[in-house]
Amino acid sequence: MRIDSAEVIVTSPGRNYVTLKLTTDTGVTGLGDATLNGRELAVVSYLRDHVCPQLIGKDASRITDIWEYLYKGAYWRRGPVTMTAIAGVDCALWDILGKATGRPVHELLGGAVRDGVLVYGHANGQTIDDVLADVGRYLEAGYRAIRVQASVPGLDSTYGIHHDGTGHTYEPADARYPTENVWDSAAYLRFAPELMAAVRAEHGYDFHLLHDVHHRLTPREAARLGKSLEPFDMFWIEDATPAEDQTAFELIRAHTVTPLAVGEVFNSIWDCRHLISNRLVDYIRCSVSHTGGITHLRKIFDLAALYGVRTGSHGAGDLSPVSFAAALQLDLAVPNFGIQEYMGHLSPAEEVFKTAYRFEDGYMKPGDRPGLGVEIDEEAAARYAYEPKSLPVNRLRDGTIHDW
């Protein structure tokens, strides 16, 4: 069963997505997500110009060997472009193996160790009253875990708020060139405890409450935030400080018992080894599409299991349904699973990607289709052309560039 063709499909049904489709000489196809939000075409070029020609003729069942070939053979290792491209190949190969054997991928990874995957939704709004209403809607829908964000008073824009009235939260990648937002950490630090207090007062404590800081605080500010949120029984605070400095979490950890999650911008096991092995975080949030696929993400999760760190994979809407399906397959199979982010996908994504997973009583069920459980309608994909878009840039009030 050798790879006969490799096709990169770029489509924008609500968001830009890059999908790698591999076809074997036996006619079996596999899909992998290779989307890198705001830098999609860099991955497209890496795949089309460098990776795809090297795949033709290779044995599609030798997944680990191909992973090593693409990682070590490039010499220039790691990085989001390289690892996203490798992830696309890796997940497509797992999809092929599942279809060829007639089994869902989680069975090939050792079988399910749970019946469903706990997911969290995204409640938010311009005001606290808006947020409270949105949390109520998620609870009525059956969610057991909810991430909460709100506009910070006095700021024109805040990360994580509803996009275009859709009810889904998406990073506002809406412009050809980056828009510039203004950020004020002091205002945010005053407001965040007020927001969480209101949520708990209105809706109680019988659900998991999460919050995303989005890398915007210094370690000392993050420690202060964690301490101030301790009364509200947070499931976690996410990305409290820029993740390049793994030792920064030592200071945060020393001053608060609020659980910490990080990892959506990581690309390899080396990016999080110190955090995991020193138990500086409680949840590791690497995504299957930005961390080299199922093969490499499984290694990260196995390392985390040794130190009591649980998984909490990134699952934003800028990753395609193929990525989400792959994440669910791995979530179902790893013993140290914690939770899975779920944002849904903007219409008309459902025209392009045909999925088997379903939401039920707070959990996602991947289904039992062979492989990843997702197919792509290429005719529908062709109707939605790529749209150049950029993520925003953050500045402080004095004009200094800040983490977005």
Side-chain angles (χ1 to χ4, degrees), residues 94 105-118 283-286 288 293-306 308-313 325-340 366:
W94 280 106
V105 167
H106 70 263
E107 292 188 4
L108 305 178
L109 299 173
V113 294
R114 57 190 51 80
D115 297 324
V117 174
L118 179 68
Y283 297 88
I284 190 67
R285 299 202 63 253
C286 302
V288 68
I294 291 171
T295 297
H296 192 66
L297 187 55
R298 179 65 184 265
K299 293 179 180 179
I300 294 174
F301 288 173
D302 286 345
L303 174 66
L306 296 178
V309 175
R310 292 191 287 173
T311 74
S313 287
L328 292 177
Q329 297 291 338
L330 187 54
D331 291 338
L332 211 61
V334 294
N336 58 321
F337 169 77
I339 201 167
Q340 171 67 53

Side-chain angles (χ1 to χ4, degrees), residues 144-367:
R144 300 168 180 266
I146 304 170
R147 194 191 84 168
V148 171
Q149 313 291 135
S151 294
V152 176
L155 299 183
D156 291 336
S157 63
T158 305
Y159 161 81
I161 309 304
H162 279 161
H163 174 74
D164 290 345
T166 62
H168 294 296
T169 307
Y170 288 87
E171 297 87 345
D174 295 328
R176 178 64 180 87
Y177 300 103
T179 57
E180 295 193 1
N181 299 333
V182 175
W183 178 251
D184 187 327
S185 294
Y188 164 74
L189 287 168
R190 291 191 297 269
F191 176 68
E194 178 185 353
L195 172 63
M196 301 308 159
V199 171
R200 287 305 194 193
E202 177 74 14
H203 293 290
Y205 285 76
D206 291 334
F207 66 97
H208 298 305
L209 181 60
L210 302 83
H211 179 65
D212 185 2
V213 185
H214 221 246
H215 314 282
R216 297 185 175 195
L217 300 179
T218 67
R220 193 167 299 280
E221 289 170 340
R224 173 184 161 193
L225 175 68
K227 192 70 174 177
S228 71
L229 297 183
E230 286 179 6
F232 310 117
D233 189 24
M234 304 297 295
F235 188 89
W236 75 35
I237 57 172
E238 170 188 342
D239 296 338
T241 193
E244 289 92 338
D245 181 6
Q246 297 186 36
T247 61
F249 285 80
E250 297 172 6
L251 189 151
I252 305 171
R253 188 63 118 187
H255 292 280
T256 181
V257 296
T258 294
L260 303 174
V262 75
E264 70 180 50
V265 298
F266 292 163
N267 307 126
S268 77
I269 196 169
W270 306 108
D271 296 324
C272 49
R273 181 185 63 83
H274 180 82
L275 288 169
I276 291 171
S277 61
N278 288 278
R279 296 184 172 91
L280 298 178
V281 294
D282 302 277
Y283 297 88
I284 190 67
R285 299 202 63 253
C286 302
S287 75
V288 68
S289 288
H290 296 159
T291 322
I294 291 171
T295 297
H296 192 66
L297 187 55
R298 179 65 184 265
K299 293 179 180 179
I300 294 174
F301 288 173
D302 286 345
L303 174 66
L306 296 178
Y307 296 95
V309 175
R310 292 191 287 173
T311 74
S313 287
H314 181 58
D318 58 20
L319 299 173
S320 86
V322 178
S323 177
F324 187 67
L328 292 177
Q329 297 291 338
L330 187 54
D331 291 338
L332 211 61
V334 294
N336 58 321
F337 169 77
I339 201 167
Q340 171 67 53
E341 181 178 22
Y342 175 59
M343 294 176 67
H345 295 88
L346 290 171
S347 184
E350 71 280 356
E351 295 179 20
V352 175
F353 300 98
K354 309 301 181 181
T355 63
Y357 53 76
R358 70 185 190 280
F359 178 82
E360 182 179 299
D361 194 28
Y363 297 90
M364 199 63 69
K365 305 296 181 67

